[in-house]
Amino acid sequence: MAHQIVTMLSYPRAASVFLLNCLQYGLKTENTNWGKGIKDIKDKLTPINFKNNTYIYKAHQPARSVDRICFDQSGAYAAYIVLILRDPKEVLTRGGEGFEAPHIASYCGLLNYWARSPNKKTLVYYDDIIKDPCGVIEALVKEINPASVPDIKTLKLNIENIRQETLKIHPPSAKKKESTTAQRGHLEKYAKMYTTDNFKYLERYFK
C-alpha cells in the first residue's frame, strides 16, 4: 500500500500546529516532520490505535518538494495539499513583520503555489478552524482518506485537550496594535498584484 502524503502549508501563526495535532488524531497517524506533534500530547488524550498510513508534512515555504518525503517500495505515493489561510492583516502584524512588500509576497506565494498545484487539495480558513475545529477535521479526514471512517465522537471528547496541550507547546504570539486604514489599503493593493486571479480567496478579509 502506498503511503499517503499530506502537505500542510500556512503562513506562521495560522493555527497550523493545532490543526496538525487534530488531523493526526483524526487520521490516526504519528508520522510528521514536525517535532512537536501528536506524540508529545497523546498521553493526555483518549488512547486510539494509530495506523500510521499517512505522513503529514508541515511547512511555511512552498518550495520544498514532497516527492522525496515518503515512498513505499514501488515508489508510489498519494499527495494531498492543505492550505490554511488566515487574515493577512492579523498574521503580518502578530509576527511583527509589518506590511512590507516582501512579506506580503511571501504570504501570497503560498496561495499561488496551492492554486496552481495539480495535486488534490483543499483550502481551510483559520476562522473556521477556531469556530468549528471538529467540523473542519471531519471534512478533511473524509476528503483526504475517503476509506477512513473518522472517529469524530472521540475527537470531540478530546478537542479541548488538544487545544490546551498545543498552546503549552506552542504559545500564541503577543497581539500587535491594529493596522491603519492606509496600511490596509497598501496590503490590499499588493495582495491583488501578487495573487491576481487568486485574490478571490482573500476577498473575505478586505470587505
Side-chain angles (χ1 to χ4, degrees):
M1 177 181 177
H3 291 291
Q4 186 176 41
I5 304 169
V6 177
T7 302
M8 180 184 295
L9 291 173
S10 70
Y11 199 82
R13 294 165 298 279
S16 60
V17 179
F18 174 55
L19 185 63
L20 170 67
N21 286 333
C22 289
L23 195 54
Q24 282 190 274
Y25 199 71
L27 288 169
K28 300 181 177 67
T29 181
E30 297 174 287
N31 293 335
T32 179
N33 68 310
W34 187 247
K36 300 292 183 180
I38 199 72
K39 289 181 179 180
D40 295 280
I41 65 173
K42 67 178 184 179
D43 61 325
K44 305 291 197 307
L45 309 174
T46 302
I48 60 173
N49 180 26
F50 286 94
K51 298 180 180 179
N52 293 319
N53 293 329
T54 302
Y55 185 98
I56 304 178
Y57 181 71
K58 179 181 175 297
H60 294 312
Q61 297 293 331
R64 301 278 185 95
S65 172
V66 301
D67 293 353
R68 294 186 293 275
I69 296 174
C70 190
F71 291 95
D72 66 3
Q73 292 182 349
S74 67
Y77 68 93
Y80 197 98
I81 299 178
V82 177
L83 173 66
I84 308 173
L85 275 187
R86 183 176 181 180
D87 187 340
K89 298 188 297 294
E90 294 181 358
V91 295
L92 292 175
T93 53
R94 278 182 179 270
E97 292 93 339
F99 294 162
E100 288 80 9
H103 301 306
I104 301 173
S106 179
Y107 175 95
C108 294
L110 289 168
L111 175 56
N112 292 334
Y113 175 86
W114 172 87
R116 67 173 178 264
S117 172
N119 293 321
K120 293 180 179 179
K121 58 194 175 186
T122 192
L123 185 151
V124 177
Y125 288 100
Y126 169 88
D127 320 57
D128 297 330
I129 298 172
I130 300 304
K131 182 180 179 181
D132 183 19
C134 284
V136 169
I137 295 301
E138 182 175 15
L140 280 175
V141 171
K142 289 180 178 178
E143 191 168 347
I144 293 171
N145 189 356
S148 175
V149 179
D151 190 354
I152 298 303
K153 182 178 180 180
T154 302
L155 179 63
K156 286 182 177 179
L157 289 173
N158 289 273
I159 197 75
E160 188 55 33
N161 283 342
I162 294 176
R163 188 196 306 273
Q164 293 303 321
E165 293 302 319
T166 299
L167 287 173
K168 291 178 184 178
I169 294 173
H170 199 78
S173 56
K175 186 176 181 180
K176 301 295 180 179
K177 60 182 180 181
E178 294 293 324
S179 56
T180 65
T181 301
Q183 287 175 321
R184 292 192 293 272
H186 172 81
L187 174 60
E188 181 174 6
K189 173 186 174 182
Y190 276 90
K192 285 181 176 178
M193 182 176 72
Y194 289 132
T195 59
T196 59
D197 292 343
N198 296 326
F199 184 77
K200 60 187 177 184
Y201 299 109
L202 297 175
E203 285 181 339
R204 62 161 61 187
Y205 297 127
F206 294 96
K207 293 181 178 178

